[in-house]
Amino acid sequence: MATHLDIQNLNQRARALAREHHAEALACAQQAAVYAIALNDDLGFTESIFIQGSIIALQGSYEEGLSLMRHALYMAKLHQIKSLIPDCLQEIARACYTRGEYDHALDAWTQCLDAALAIDARDIYIKGQIGLGQLYFAHDDFYSALNHHLKARDYAYQCQDPSVLAAIEINIGADQFELQHYDSAKNTLKQALVYAQKADNLEYQAAAMGTLGRIALAEDDLALARSLLERARGINRRHDNCWGEAHNLYNLGLLARKEHTVDEAIAFFSAGLSAAQNIGAAHLVFQLEFALSSALELRGEYAAALKYHQQGYQHHYQLLCQATPQRLHTMEIKLDAEKIRMENASLREQNDFERQARQQSEYMASQDPLTGLFNRRGFELRSLNFLHSNPEHREPLALLMLDIDYFKHVNDRWGHLIGDHVLRQVAALLKSGCRQDDVVCRWGGEEFLILLPSRNGLPAREVAERLRAMVENWTWEKIERDLQITLSIGVTLYQNETHVNQMVQRADQNLYRAKQAGRNQVVY
């Protein structure tokens, strides 16, 4: 008979194996979840699904990984597992950053700092500085990125975790490389490699080697560049680090182009682009599109080169529209405030319990416990804010009502546990397919509502159709063999109502028409 200690040991082993031995780590976390359910161990179960999500995200399945990590975050808040909340938010932020979802990453890092207050987690300040630096890096502001990464280094003088120290040095080295401080970058990255080897962290070893390879390429030491980049790629490939391998392919393409082997460069860029698109690594996608455009132009394929250049420009512009300087500055202020609060812990503890209780009460009152989406109360409060902030009815507003087709059949055939899994996955897909300011709600049962600010007729229908296709095309057999899920959706627009219920009624009527017309479709 398994014990709580067995669950704890399995989760600890899963964490230890997570970076380099994905399959074994995943098996440990899954077994821990099975034992935790049997023993009603909320802590063990929550930690196990968090670990599963982080491993799956590391393998490149960010959508599925984020769904599990967000559910773990909800469970950690529900059961007041304060030690796990910052970890969940940190990994969610990291996954969002990799996908190019900078606004979501910034929100998660900001919440991560708030969560750290409850447990005096000083390492969160370091990770916050690293995360903020990465966001500046993504916006090509390498001086600001370096400044924040150096702050992380300064604060880590007492840190004993070689993985954290390796992460800091890798980011500083990348900043120095982009600023063309090659000698400093090489020294920094060699130190990063020492830390990564001490931690036995192959992901960070590959990252340090890859950036050292980029420096060798910039200095025209092509033989050394190829050796380092191939070694980094080999590590990433063996350990299913899809993002790392895609980045290595990009740099190997740059190397091939410098060696005037254009066909080889195109092959590397194409393989890297396909890998980046598969995992949704938006920052890599536009870089590879620009690189592929340049290589195709060298080969005289001007039409294809123009197509990739246009795609790269569009994707780059979409990324730069996120995480505006104002929001980044707000995060800087929050980090500074965090440092002050950590240095004045005795003052912070006086109101900590009251603040946490208030936040928990507000959260529980407006959230659906199964999916983590807004419930009816939360939706109505948010929708009233939109209506009141738009008194002259100048901004368009659309509402979608969505219903899972034949959901009763799912419960009847596979049971309510599978039905709950389906509801959580549909919720995760809907949330991931919406903008940050869209309001996604579980209205009741298998029905969902989505409020779309600043959307009129055609854009609203396009969002509805995209969400319908996302749900239909998701691989539902991951949950249960022969399972297939579709949605029917009714769409309506704001018509100067004073309360959202009038919009809900019209959307419900259109949903009924979609059901009557055969389901799995959008009716406007």
Side-chain angles (χ1 to χ4, degrees), residues 383-398:
S383 62
L384 280 174
N385 288 339
F386 280 115
L387 295 180
H388 290 163
S389 64
N390 190 24
E392 298 180 5
H393 318 304
R394 292 177 179 174
E395 291 295 325
L397 194 65

Side-chain angles (χ1 to χ4, degrees), residues 249-263:
L249 288 166
Y250 168 67
N251 286 297
L252 285 167
L254 296 179
L255 172 61
R257 192 173 66 188
K258 203 162 194 176
E259 292 174 333
H260 306 294
T261 53
V262 177
D263 288 345

Side-chain angles (χ1 to χ4, degrees), residues 34-97:
V34 172
Y35 289 159
I37 291 171
L39 293 174
N40 199 25
D41 185 338
D42 294 326
L43 170 60
F45 178 74
T46 303
E47 185 173 13
S48 71
I49 60 174
F50 161 67
I51 295 169
Q52 290 177 56
S54 61
I55 294 169
I56 290 168
L58 189 63
Q59 292 175 309
S61 298
Y62 290 104
E63 188 175 288
E64 184 178 356
L66 279 166
S67 176
L68 283 170
M69 289 190 288
R70 283 170 174 148
H71 188 60
L73 176 62
Y74 166 75
M75 294 287 290
K77 290 179 177 179
L78 178 66
H79 297 294
Q80 288 287 287
I81 309 171
K82 295 182 179 180
S83 60
L84 193 57
I85 291 172
D87 284 344
C88 291
L89 288 163
Q90 169 65 21
E91 288 303 312
I92 288 169
R94 177 175 169 164
C96 289
Y97 171 81

Side-chain angles (χ1 to χ4, degrees), residues 150-377:
L150 289 174
K151 285 183 180 179
R153 177 197 272 175
D154 291 342
Y155 206 76
Y157 68 96
Q158 291 182 325
C159 180
Q160 301 298 316
D161 186 343
S163 287
V164 173
L165 296 173
I168 294 170
E169 299 304 308
I170 287 167
N171 280 281
I172 291 175
D175 301 334
Q176 291 168 332
F177 165 72
E178 294 294 348
L179 294 168
Q180 299 183 9
H181 302 163
Y182 295 148
D183 289 338
S184 297
K186 283 188 283 190
N187 291 332
T188 300
L189 290 162
K190 288 174 183 176
Q191 183 61 56
L193 199 52
V194 171
Y195 287 137
Q197 289 168 341
K198 183 178 179 180
D200 195 25
N201 189 315
L202 294 177
E203 178 193 359
Y204 287 166
Q205 290 178 39
M209 286 182 197
T211 309
L212 285 167
R214 295 169 67 196
I215 297 171
L217 177 59
E219 294 182 330
D220 289 326
D221 189 344
L222 303 188
L224 177 59
R226 184 172 292 277
S227 173
L228 288 166
L229 292 171
E230 289 288 7
R231 286 170 64 192
R233 183 189 178 192
I235 293 172
N236 286 321
R237 175 181 285 180
R238 286 195 299 276
H239 297 281
D240 296 325
N241 186 345
C242 301
W243 188 94
E245 185 178 3
H247 197 249
N248 297 148
L249 288 166
Y250 168 67
N251 286 297
L252 285 167
L254 296 179
L255 172 61
R257 192 173 66 188
K258 203 162 194 176
E259 292 174 333
H260 306 294
T261 53
V262 177
D263 288 345
E264 184 183 24
I266 290 173
F268 279 130
F269 291 144
S270 297
L273 179 58
S274 176
Q277 289 171 333
N278 284 340
I279 62 175
H283 192 77
L284 267 181
V285 166
F286 87 79
Q287 289 181 308
L288 283 155
E289 285 171 335
F290 281 140
L292 189 53
S293 171
S294 175
L296 288 167
E297 185 177 0
L298 290 174
R299 200 162 70 178
E301 298 182 23
Y302 300 112
L306 178 61
K307 182 189 77 169
Y308 282 110
H309 182 83
Q310 291 172 334
Q311 290 177 0
Y313 177 84
Q314 181 182 9
H315 290 147
H316 192 198
Y317 177 77
Q318 290 171 350
L319 287 179
L320 292 179
C321 289
Q322 298 187 59
T324 62
Q326 291 83 1
R327 297 198 71 214
L328 290 172
H329 181 62
T330 300
M331 177 70 167
E332 288 186 21
I333 294 172
K334 200 170 191 69
L335 278 167
D336 291 340
E338 167 72 358
K339 185 176 180 181
I340 293 170
R341 285 193 295 264
M342 286 190 295
E343 292 170 348
N344 296 277
S346 60
L347 295 176
R348 184 175 66 243
E349 290 172 357
Q350 294 177 8
N351 61 10
D352 180 67
F353 178 79
E354 181 183 346
R355 182 180 59 83
Q356 289 293 322
R358 185 175 64 254
Q359 289 181 344
Q360 178 70 5
S361 176
E362 292 172 353
Y363 180 84
M364 292 296 295
S366 63
Q367 301 290 315
D368 172 57
L370 179 65
T371 64
L373 300 178
F374 284 113
N375 59 17
R376 284 198 179 204
R377 180 180 182 275

